[in-house]
Amino acid sequence: MSIQLLVTDRNLNVLGDPLHGWTDLKAEINFNAPASGSVSLPAHPEYMELLQPGNRLVVIRDRNIWCAGPLEEPQNYTWDLQGNADPGTVTVQFSDDLARVAGYLTYPEPAKTFTTQTATSDVVRKLTTANSEVIIRTLVNENCGPGALAARRITRLALDTVAGVGTNRTVSTRFEPLLDACRTAAAADGLGFRTRQVGDQVLFGVYAPADLTKVARFSRGLGNLRSVAFTMAAPLATQELVQGGNDPAQEATPANRRAYVEVSSGAAADWYRVEKLVDKTGVDDDSAGELTQAGVLELGNDNPQASLSTVTVDTEDLRAGRDFWLGDRVTVALPTGMEVTDIVQTIRLEATPDGGELVTSVIGSSDKTTTTATVRLVRDLARRLGRLEAR
């Protein structure tokens, strides 16, 4: 095991020496979501001086950056007369640089400051006749990247090399969490996006996960499958009733009509009909397929809840980061004899100086093993509140 921890400032300048004496390192990277990590350190004065708001932690594993991003809780200090003797222990919570992107909203008019946005309820940022990758890159660039207003730019953030992936589509967004808009554009093509530190830059890029179902296999017999959980439950919705057009509180004129699209999963034939209203106020019609796309995206969460959650472990023959990555589709052979395929949602690195390192991956629905369900609930509430505020 070769792990090194560095602290940098927001300009990626390394501060002080590498951190030593650390214990209980955890660094979890997620598909199309910010990472989360923690590490405990002896609370030496020189370390406490480094662990300050605005600084970043860089986790280097085998000479490659595993995770790098802002300190979200720079200092959680404890001391007592028993287990935490002088100088005490400080536990640090950190993320990756995608967390900084997640802190932004999509401005309808990104070239204007918030206070000078056009004062009408139906102004949205509409990106069309471009592929998914271009839309995602544009959203990030104009809201927090090099093309954003100076006050909104993330220091050292740049766009990665174009991957040339995705199909043409249309996305409309208005004061929506930036990563939600990116996920909307990415979902139909199954694309991934990420940040990575290269030299003195943080690069934001889009990529197409690989289909590795033939070569990346996990099973009890191969020694790389630790646990399996499988559930089957009724759908949350079989019919997504998408409502577009303008605010119904306004006068009903030909230019201000509602638009309605029903998107069905077909699951009602096996289960029973469940209807759900999806509000897409501000999208005038379905001519660009936006209302249909919204319904399809909702079905992704509301389809019959047959969810697979597995935890795998790295072996010499199959290692995360070398042989597969976040979003890749892999095969899991269940103890029942069935084989299923699903995507890699999370990759975790856990390490201690004495116990070495353990790398595990979560394949399938990560709700079984992480707090993704809570994150989704908070995100949905924020989006709905944003829509109410925007009307």
Side-chain angles (χ1 to χ4, degrees), residues 343-355:
I343 67 171
V344 180
Q345 293 279 3
T346 298
I347 302 175
R348 296 192 185 107
L349 169 65
E350 300 177 72
T352 60
D354 297 329

Side-chain angles (χ1 to χ4, degrees), residues 80-359:
D80 59 48
L81 290 173
Q82 298 176 0
N84 290 302
D86 295 343
T89 300
V90 60
T91 299
V92 181
Q93 304 286 340
F94 60 93
S95 186
D96 62 6
D97 291 301
L98 197 60
R100 298 197 64 189
V101 179
Y104 285 76
L105 300 179
T106 58
Y107 280 16
E109 299 169 294
K112 296 181 179 180
T113 64
F114 177 74
T115 55
T116 59
Q117 298 287 306
T118 298
T120 57
S121 64
D122 59 351
V123 173
V124 298
R125 179 68 174 106
K126 189 167 186 175
L127 297 102
T128 186
T129 64
N131 68 30
S132 306
E133 179 186 13
V134 171
I135 290 175
I136 295 168
R137 289 168 61 92
T138 300
L139 286 170
V140 170
N141 180 52
E142 65 188 17
N143 283 287
C144 63
L149 294 172
R152 302 186 74 206
R153 292 175 197 157
I154 294 177
T155 307
R156 297 294 181 180
L157 182 66
L159 297 180
D160 209 338
T161 304
V162 175
V165 296
T167 56
N168 285 1
R169 60 190 65 258
T170 297
V171 170
S172 294
T173 181
R174 171 183 169 80
F175 295 125
E176 179 183 13
L178 177 53
L179 285 194
D180 281 358
C182 291
R183 279 187 280 261
T184 297
D189 294 313
L191 299 183
F193 50 82
R194 62 183 178 182
T195 55
R196 60 192 186 104
Q197 180 179 331
V198 178
D200 63 352
Q201 289 185 311
V202 173
L203 300 180
F204 176 90
V206 182
Y207 65 98
D211 183 350
L212 302 177
T213 52
K214 302 292 185 183
V215 294
R217 298 175 57 83
F218 299 89
S219 71
R220 182 177 179 180
L222 292 173
N224 56 11
L225 184 61
R226 298 189 69 186
S227 67
V228 175
F230 183 82
T231 61
M232 180 176 291
L236 301 178
T238 62
Q239 321 297 127
E240 305 290 352
L241 309 180
V242 187
Q243 176 180 259
N246 289 322
D247 192 333
Q250 299 177 6
E251 182 181 356
T253 65
N256 186 38
R257 291 175 176 172
R258 277 295 192 185
Y260 300 99
V261 170
E262 180 175 346
V263 181
S264 173
S265 68
D270 295 325
W271 296 90
Y272 41 82
R273 184 181 178 95
V274 183
E275 300 176 342
K276 176 181 174 182
L277 183 65
V278 180
D279 184 12
K280 289 295 289 182
T281 296
V283 178
D284 294 336
D285 55 49
D286 199 38
S287 58
E290 290 182 84
L291 300 181
T292 297
Q293 178 177 273
V296 172
L297 288 171
E298 290 296 326
L299 284 177
N301 291 330
D302 296 338
N303 272 331
Q305 305 297 290
S307 61
L308 169 71
S309 175
T310 70
V311 177
T312 70
V313 63
D314 268 11
T315 64
E316 286 301 319
D317 296 327
L318 193 59
R319 299 187 63 186
R322 184 191 69 185
D323 303 308
F324 64 92
W325 189 244
L326 295 169
D328 290 346
R329 184 168 289 275
V330 298
T331 297
V332 178
L334 303 178
T336 61
M338 294 175 57
E339 288 192 354
V340 296
T341 66
D342 214 323
I343 67 171
V344 180
Q345 293 279 3
T346 298
I347 302 175
R348 296 192 185 107
L349 169 65
E350 300 177 72
T352 60
D354 297 329
E357 67 176 37
L358 176 67
V359 177

Side-chain angles (χ1 to χ4, degrees), residues 21-68:
W22 56 267
T23 60
D24 196 25
L25 170 68
K26 296 181 177 67
E28 178 177 294
I29 52 179
N30 302 301
F31 181 56
N32 291 356
S36 63
S38 66
V39 64
S40 295
L41 299 155
H44 298 308
E46 61 270 26
Y47 288 178
M48 302 298 278
E49 186 177 351
L50 297 177
L51 302 174
Q52 298 295 326
N55 289 344
R56 301 165 65 254
L57 188 71
V58 180
V59 179
I60 300 174
R61 179 194 181 216
D62 296 332
R63 299 183 179 181
N64 294 311
I65 295 178
W66 177 267
C67 180

Side-chain angles (χ1 to χ4, degrees), residues 356-380:
E357 67 176 37
L358 176 67
V359 177
T360 58
S361 301
V362 176
I363 298 167
S365 171
S366 57
D367 289 356
K368 292 292 179 183
T369 49
T370 71
T371 58
T372 301
T374 304
V375 173
R376 182 181 300 147
L377 174 62
V378 172
R379 188 177 69 228
D380 288 346

